[in-house]
Amino acid sequence: MTVHQNFIGGAWTPAGNAAPNINPSDVSDVVGEYARAGRAEAEAAIAAAKAAFPAWARSNPHERYEILMRVSTEILARKEELGRLLAREEGKTLADGIGEVTRAGQIFGYFAGEAVRLAGEKFASTRPGIEVDVTREPVGIVAMITPWNFPIAIPAWKIAPALAYGNCVVIKPADLVPGSAWALADIIARAGIPNGVFNLVMGRGSEIGEVLLSHDDVAAISFTGSVGTGRKIAQAAVTAPVMKKVQLEMGGKSPLVILDDADLAVAVECAANGAFYQTGQRCTAGTRLVVTEGIHDRFVEGLVERMKQLVVDDALKPGTNIGPVVDQSQLDQDLRYIAIGQKEGAKLVWGGERLNRDKQGFYLQPALFTECTPDMQIVREEIFGPVAAVLRVKDYDEALAVANDSVFGLSSGICTTSLKHATHFKRNSDAGMVNVNLPTAGVDYHVPFGGRKGSSYGPREQGHYAVEFYTTVKTSYTLA
């Protein structure tokens, strides 16, 4: 089997070893063999980026626009093919895979435009005869560490703005799902990117990550992943001899508030989608269902009936609503939390069983707990699987307090027909993103993404707000 290689300095470069990329829907299916880089390859990628940076930082904005547009066009033209690859290696349904690829293409198209929209400011000085210009310049070499749950969209929303604003990139995708990132790298390479501007190093974070974090030539680090790893990155960035700019997107435990006046059908669909679709493997998943007592029983009954309709099967099989968990380790974690919930005294009203299908894979029936309390582990800790907990509350005021009682603050939602409560919730929810009568999971590519508290640190991702991380401000004074 052909080994997919790393991309360093404009060339496909082999590494000392490789690892198989396994289909979680069918563990006998090997998606491909992908090279695993080590310290030497990471250092070579940084050196290549350093050599390329001076010219790329001063490149014509239209050149960057054209390259990014070629990437966008190619991604969108191949969305079915790439979506199938994504579904095969990560386990989300084919429709979700194609949707994610489409979003990646849209992101590159958006930031192609941003390349020629980068603006500065001119101020009147307080001193006579002096002009003041404020401009933005690229930060330098940006190291990127991306997760397995969105294997093409998250790399896209980091790579595209970095290149648009004149930075050079070294990206390490999740070792579990390198296929989509490799395919994206291949498209970028074919789009005419100058040698060294973009570099892909695949492999284990324990080997590559330390180099990216400690190297003096890396100016900024963009990371999406666990809270624990994010904290280590933040500490390493500020204690390094040359301090680095950091952007961290970490965990979530998003609440969905359901009030007595909610449209029951809307509430049930918001909960099912937010908590269980894409196997709950989204940091924005709405797995804390905060329900007022007047609608509680009807909501639980409706949600259980909706869960019974969800088809869990092969990600590529027509009619599948929910694919497998990504691997055995994640499946074990999900099952461990289901056991913890039962031990804590929560009532498992539906699901939570390991499932067998035609092919051997990591299939799990979505689980719903009721009679939960705010102090339970299944309520407070991110499970990253299709496991939801219902918390019964008296009224809106208690619902808001319970929703905000979390170390996380990424996304939140409320289902209500009350304009008063919807408006109050939008203003008082301790989350970076708020949804009214919508699932907590699901965002647009042209607006900022990020949270508060333990969920995010540093400037926002996506949309025009990405300029805050990928550029640095310069103030220039000129005697007229």
Side-chain angles (χ1 to χ4, degrees), residues 208-479:
I208 302 173
E210 192 276 330
V211 178
L212 301 181
L213 293 178
S214 62
H215 205 292
D216 287 348
D217 290 329
V218 173
I221 302 165
S222 181
F223 167 81
T224 301
S226 70
V227 175
T229 302
R231 289 185 182 277
K232 291 178 183 177
I233 289 173
Q235 185 175 19
V238 298
T239 58
V242 178
M243 290 191 291
K244 306 177 191 308
K245 204 171 185 179
V246 291
Q247 178 185 63
L248 308 175
E249 290 298 337
M250 299 172 286
K253 192 71 175 179
S254 300
L256 177 67
V257 170
I258 296 145
L259 300 184
D260 288 352
D261 63 11
D263 181 311
L264 183 60
V266 169
V268 166
E269 197 57 37
C270 285
N273 184 306
F276 306 126
Y277 276 57
Q278 297 185 19
T279 327
Q281 295 173 158
R282 302 181 285 192
C283 54
T284 52
T287 53
R288 286 193 297 141
L289 306 175
V290 185
V291 188
T292 49
E293 55 190 5
I295 199 175
H296 178 278
D297 293 350
R298 288 182 293 127
F299 169 77
V300 170
E301 180 182 357
L303 183 55
V304 168
E305 289 303 310
R306 182 70 181 92
M307 293 172 70
K308 291 178 181 178
Q309 300 169 7
L310 298 175
V311 177
V312 181
D313 210 329
D314 189 318
L316 297 176
K317 191 173 182 179
T320 295
N321 301 123
I322 299 173
V325 171
V326 72
D327 70 350
Q328 185 65 53
S329 176
Q330 186 61 49
L331 177 61
D332 291 342
Q333 176 170 300
D334 295 346
L335 292 171
R336 179 172 61 84
Y337 270 105
I338 290 169
I340 288 171
Q342 292 173 302
K343 186 177 180 180
E344 288 180 314
K347 182 180 179 181
L348 182 61
V349 295
W350 177 257
E353 298 293 327
R354 172 77 188 267
L355 300 175
N356 294 316
R357 292 295 180 256
D358 294 340
K359 299 171 183 176
Q360 184 181 352
F362 307 112
Y363 298 104
L364 178 65
Q365 191 178 42
L368 182 67
F369 283 96
T370 61
E371 300 178 24
C372 300
T373 57
D375 60 329
M376 291 180 175
Q377 278 184 261
I378 60 168
V379 174
R380 303 206 71 80
E381 298 176 10
E382 184 177 39
I383 300 172
F384 222 65
V387 182
V390 178
L391 297 110
R392 186 196 297 260
V393 294
K394 181 181 179 180
D395 53 22
Y396 170 75
D397 290 336
E398 185 181 359
L400 177 63
V402 170
N404 285 339
D405 181 19
S406 175
V407 297
F408 298 109
L410 182 55
S411 184
S412 68
I414 186 169
C415 292
T416 180
T417 55
S418 165
L419 178 61
K420 171 186 174 182
H421 287 138
T423 302
H424 189 273
F425 187 80
K426 285 193 290 184
R427 292 175 177 170
N428 292 278
S429 174
D430 291 344
M433 299 176 290
V434 181
N435 301 270
V436 178
N437 294 320
L438 290 166
T440 59
V443 295
D444 292 344
Y445 64 86
H446 66 300
V447 294
F449 176 94
R452 302 178 180 180
K453 298 188 279 190
S455 290
S456 302
Y457 182 81
R460 289 287 192 261
E461 296 196 277
Q462 297 203 98
H464 180 68
Y465 283 75
V467 75
E468 298 296 336
F469 178 71
Y470 291 102
T471 66
T472 186
V473 172
K474 176 180 285 185
T475 305
S476 302
Y477 298 89
T478 303
L479 180 63

Side-chain angles (χ1 to χ4, degrees), residues 12-347:
W12 293 105
T13 308
N17 57 66
N21 185 1
I22 303 299
N23 180 352
S25 293
D26 176 7
V27 297
S28 67
D29 176 31
V30 178
V31 178
E33 293 279 340
Y34 291 82
R36 272 184 170 162
R39 173 176 288 273
E41 289 81 13
E43 290 178 345
I46 295 170
K50 182 180 180 180
F53 178 67
W56 182 248
R58 290 164 177 78
S59 60
N60 188 304
H62 189 71
E63 176 189 357
R64 302 197 295 274
Y65 164 85
E66 288 190 325
I67 290 173
L68 292 178
M69 278 304 300
R70 285 196 288 270
V71 173
S72 173
T73 300
E74 181 73 8
I75 291 172
L76 294 174
R78 296 170 55 190
K79 63 183 180 181
E80 284 82 8
E81 168 207 341
L82 296 172
R84 180 171 290 272
L85 168 65
L86 194 158
R88 192 173 160 212
E89 73 166 349
E90 197 273 347
K92 63 182 61 177
T93 65
L94 180 58
D96 285 334
I98 294 172
E100 182 178 334
V101 170
T102 300
R103 179 173 172 181
Q106 292 167 338
I107 289 167
F108 272 92
Y110 174 86
F111 281 106
E114 285 292 277
V116 294
R117 283 193 293 262
L118 186 61
E121 296 176 289
K122 181 175 286 289
F123 289 87
S125 173
T126 58
R127 294 171 289 172
I130 294 176
E131 294 181 349
V132 184
D133 295 295
V134 179
T135 54
R136 289 188 176 273
E137 298 180 354
V139 295
I141 299 171
V142 183
M144 302 171 179
I145 302 173
T146 59
W148 51 259
N149 62 323
F150 285 89
I152 196 168
I154 291 180
W157 82 46
K158 295 181 188 295
I159 295 167
L163 297 180
Y165 299 132
N167 299 281
C168 290
V169 169
V170 179
I171 183 169
K172 192 211 85 64
D175 188 38
L176 188 60
V177 289
S180 296
W182 188 94
L184 177 57
D186 184 52
I187 291 172
I188 294 171
R190 295 172 185 272
I193 198 81
N195 293 347
V197 170
F198 171 83
N199 303 272
L200 170 76
V201 285
M202 301 175 291
R204 297 186 182 278
S206 57
E207 294 187 38
I208 302 173
E210 192 276 330
V211 178
L212 301 181
L213 293 178
S214 62
H215 205 292
D216 287 348
D217 290 329
V218 173
I221 302 165
S222 181
F223 167 81
T224 301
S226 70
V227 175
T229 302
R231 289 185 182 277
K232 291 178 183 177
I233 289 173
Q235 185 175 19
V238 298
T239 58
V242 178
M243 290 191 291
K244 306 177 191 308
K245 204 171 185 179
V246 291
Q247 178 185 63
L248 308 175
E249 290 298 337
M250 299 172 286
K253 192 71 175 179
S254 300
L256 177 67
V257 170
I258 296 145
L259 300 184
D260 288 352
D261 63 11
D263 181 311
L264 183 60
V266 169
V268 166
E269 197 57 37
C270 285
N273 184 306
F276 306 126
Y277 276 57
Q278 297 185 19
T279 327
Q281 295 173 158
R282 302 181 285 192
C283 54
T284 52
T287 53
R288 286 193 297 141
L289 306 175
V290 185
V291 188
T292 49
E293 55 190 5
I295 199 175
H296 178 278
D297 293 350
R298 288 182 293 127
F299 169 77
V300 170
E301 180 182 357
L303 183 55
V304 168
E305 289 303 310
R306 182 70 181 92
M307 293 172 70
K308 291 178 181 178
Q309 300 169 7
L310 298 175
V311 177
V312 181
D313 210 329
D314 189 318
L316 297 176
K317 191 173 182 179
T320 295
N321 301 123
I322 299 173
V325 171
V326 72
D327 70 350
Q328 185 65 53
S329 176
Q330 186 61 49
L331 177 61
D332 291 342
Q333 176 170 300
D334 295 346
L335 292 171
R336 179 172 61 84
Y337 270 105
I338 290 169
I340 288 171
Q342 292 173 302
K343 186 177 180 180
E344 288 180 314
K347 182 180 179 181

